Amino acid sequence: MSISATTTSTAAQARAVPDQDGVRLELGGSWQITGNTPEWASFDTASLAALTLKAGRLRPDTSQVTEWDTSLVLFLREAGDWCEGNQVDFDESALPSNIRRPLKAMREARVRPIDRQRRPNILATAGLASVSAYKQAKQLTQFVGECVISAFHLARHPKKFRWRDCLQEMQRCGAMALPIVGLISFLVGVILAYIGAVVLRQYGGDIFIATLVALAMVREMGAMMTGIVLSGRTGGAFAAQIANMKTGEEIDALVTFGIRPIDFLVIPRIVALAIMMPLLSLYSNALGNLGGMTVAALLLKISPSAYWIQMQSALDMSDITTGLIKAVTYGIIIGVAGCLRGLQARRDSAGVGNAATSAVVTAMLYIIVACAIYAVLFNILGW
């Protein structure tokens, strides 16, 4: 009596045959995972159980296997599981060593069931998130407080301020950022003009496209787009530089010599961004309006002089002031986020990358929050 599972005559086959030592599981043919191989689920295990009930042993024999891969090992593992569940001895002694090794590794690599008692529930997750948010807010508040104290100290002792470092940072975050800020701002002006043209042409108010683009760029988009560009370009660079210095124990050396890292590294960078952000914002406003003027001339046939006159009539000093206030705030946010994440970084290469990423995300998040707060505040003030 024998129990078999065969795909084709030349392909993989499995057959259970009783012998004097128990039941022999004869395996033959080509066992390739890309071909048709017998599955243990299709094997007649009920009849096999009747055979092995008396013998109590199942011994696989792979002497007739011509070629094999993991499909054979998987079949043997399932056979072993079946034997273990039915209290049958699975005798692997006849298997070659090159099959026993992956079979053993496959058994040891099984996915262990998740301990349900150790799963975090919703309340525990919410609690951990709240504690993490509290710690982050506390660290940010302490860092801002140290920066304010350091700024007052340096204002009373201006000779201690590192003017050379500040000027170098102003060049890096200001002059060297002009191309990317100009390109982004011009394209934002083009996009706003196209969106406005779709709506305003329906009502015959083509000329008001100058009003839309000018107010959007000067009050909101100029400062915001500049802030977003500098968050990725400058904020991430600040975090990476300071984190790299922390990894190389340069900041520890500063502290050893009695030099406060806030005075030496942080304040010059924040001051440089607070000075350059309004200038870059004005530059962004100009390029954005130039993009709107280009679309108005090409799409709506509005002359540049008419666009300029309409733009002048739409803007007043309060619009420009609100944009500049936002730009200064965004600059301080970018500087604080970049330096804070750099000082919080771990002392390894992965910590440097994580600090740069975290600085960019933090700066963008707080810029959006600040923009929303300013929108409500300026609306209340009537600006």
Side-chain angles (χ1 to χ4, degrees), residues 161-174 238 264-276:
F161 184 71
R162 297 185 61 81
W163 295 100
R164 180 175 296 179
D165 291 349
C166 183
L167 292 174
Q168 289 178 350
E169 294 299 338
M170 288 171 63
Q171 180 187 7
R172 291 172 186 161
C173 68
F238 283 178
F264 193 84
L265 298 173
V266 177
I267 297 301
R269 287 173 166 79
I270 294 178
V271 171
L273 274 173
I275 293 174
M276 296 309 298

Side-chain angles (χ1 to χ4, degrees), residues 2-292:
S2 65
I3 305 164
S4 62
T6 307
T7 54
T8 65
S9 58
T10 58
Q13 51 188 317
R15 186 177 61 170
V17 180
D19 61 8
Q20 57 182 0
D21 296 329
V23 178
R24 187 172 69 254
L25 182 60
E26 291 184 350
L27 304 171
S30 173
W31 286 75
Q32 296 294 319
I33 199 166
T34 54
N36 293 325
T37 56
E39 296 181 0
W40 184 258
S42 62
F43 214 73
D44 188 2
T45 53
S47 302
L48 182 62
L51 279 177
T52 55
L53 185 61
K54 299 179 180 178
R57 175 179 298 181
L58 180 65
R59 182 165 55 87
D61 180 6
T62 59
S63 59
Q64 299 179 20
V65 174
T66 56
E67 54 184 351
W68 61 275
D69 58 11
T70 52
S71 60
L72 176 63
V73 183
L74 181 62
F75 183 85
L76 290 173
R77 194 200 72 175
E78 292 176 345
D81 291 345
W82 180 87
C83 291
E84 183 178 357
N86 291 274
Q87 298 181 349
V88 175
D89 182 20
F90 188 68
D91 186 3
E92 304 176 11
S93 58
L95 291 177
S97 60
N98 58 348
I99 294 180
R100 285 203 304 268
R101 283 196 300 270
L103 180 60
K104 180 182 178 183
M106 188 175 289
R107 285 171 178 163
E108 295 175 351
R110 285 178 182 175
V111 178
R112 297 181 179 177
I114 299 175
D115 187 358
R116 295 182 180 275
Q117 295 181 351
R118 299 185 63 181
R119 284 184 179 178
N121 55 34
I122 296 177
L123 291 178
T125 304
L128 292 173
S130 300
V131 171
S132 177
Y134 170 74
K135 290 181 179 178
Q136 293 284 336
K138 184 179 179 181
Q139 291 174 355
L140 176 62
T141 305
Q142 288 178 344
F143 183 74
V144 172
E146 291 179 4
C147 290
V148 172
I149 294 172
S150 178
F152 279 112
H153 173 73
L154 293 174
R156 291 195 302 269
H157 305 88
K159 291 184 178 179
K160 294 184 177 179
F161 184 71
R162 297 185 61 81
W163 295 100
R164 180 175 296 179
D165 291 349
C166 183
L167 292 174
Q168 289 178 350
E169 294 299 338
M170 288 171 63
Q171 180 187 7
R172 291 172 186 161
C173 68
M176 297 176 70
L178 286 175
I180 185 64
V181 172
L183 176 63
I184 297 294
S185 301
F186 181 83
L187 295 178
V188 169
V190 169
I191 294 169
L192 289 174
Y194 266 105
I195 295 173
V198 171
V199 179
L200 296 174
R201 292 184 73 175
Q202 300 178 9
Y203 303 99
D206 297 4
I207 190 61
F208 292 106
I209 193 173
T211 304
L212 186 149
V213 176
L215 288 176
M217 288 302 302
V218 172
R219 291 185 66 92
E220 301 290 347
M221 299 306 294
M224 180 177 288
M225 295 311 300
T226 305
I228 289 175
V229 171
L230 290 194
S231 296
R233 186 181 181 279
T234 305
F238 283 178
Q241 291 169 0
I242 295 176
N244 196 35
M245 293 177 67
K246 187 177 180 181
T247 303
E249 299 183 351
E250 297 175 50
I251 294 178
D252 295 337
L254 291 176
V255 175
T256 302
F257 283 108
I259 301 173
R260 300 179 69 243
I262 301 292
D263 298 346
F264 193 84
L265 298 173
V266 177
I267 297 301
R269 287 173 166 79
I270 294 178
V271 171
L273 274 173
I275 293 174
M276 296 309 298
M277 268 295 293
L279 302 178
L280 287 173
S281 179
L282 292 175
Y283 172 71
S284 173
N285 295 340
L287 269 293
N289 282 295
L290 180 61

Side-chain angles (χ1 to χ4, degrees), residues 240-366:
Q241 291 169 0
I242 295 176
N244 196 35
M245 293 177 67
K246 187 177 180 181
T247 303
E249 299 183 351
E250 297 175 50
I251 294 178
D252 295 337
L254 291 176
V255 175
T256 302
F257 283 108
I259 301 173
R260 300 179 69 243
I262 301 292
D263 298 346
F264 193 84
L265 298 173
V266 177
I267 297 301
R269 287 173 166 79
I270 294 178
V271 171
L273 274 173
I275 293 174
M276 296 309 298
M277 268 295 293
L279 302 178
L280 287 173
S281 179
L282 292 175
Y283 172 71
S284 173
N285 295 340
L287 269 293
N289 282 295
L290 180 61
M293 185 182 293
T294 303
V295 173
L298 298 177
L299 186 65
L300 304 177
K301 308 302 180 185
I302 298 174
S303 65
S305 58
Y307 187 97
W308 178 260
I309 293 172
Q310 179 64 26
M311 186 182 69
Q312 282 186 314
S313 64
L315 294 176
D316 57 22
M317 199 61 197
S318 66
D319 299 319
I320 300 175
T321 304
T322 55
L324 294 179
I325 292 173
K326 292 179 180 178
V328 173
T329 307
Y330 298 163
I332 295 173
I333 288 174
I334 296 168
V336 169
C339 297
L340 173 63
R341 297 308 183 199
L343 291 173
Q344 290 177 334
R346 299 197 312 270
R347 297 175 184 270
D348 53 31
S349 57
V352 176
N354 293 335
T357 303
S358 180
V360 175
V361 174
T362 304
M364 288 186 180
L365 173 64
Y366 286 128

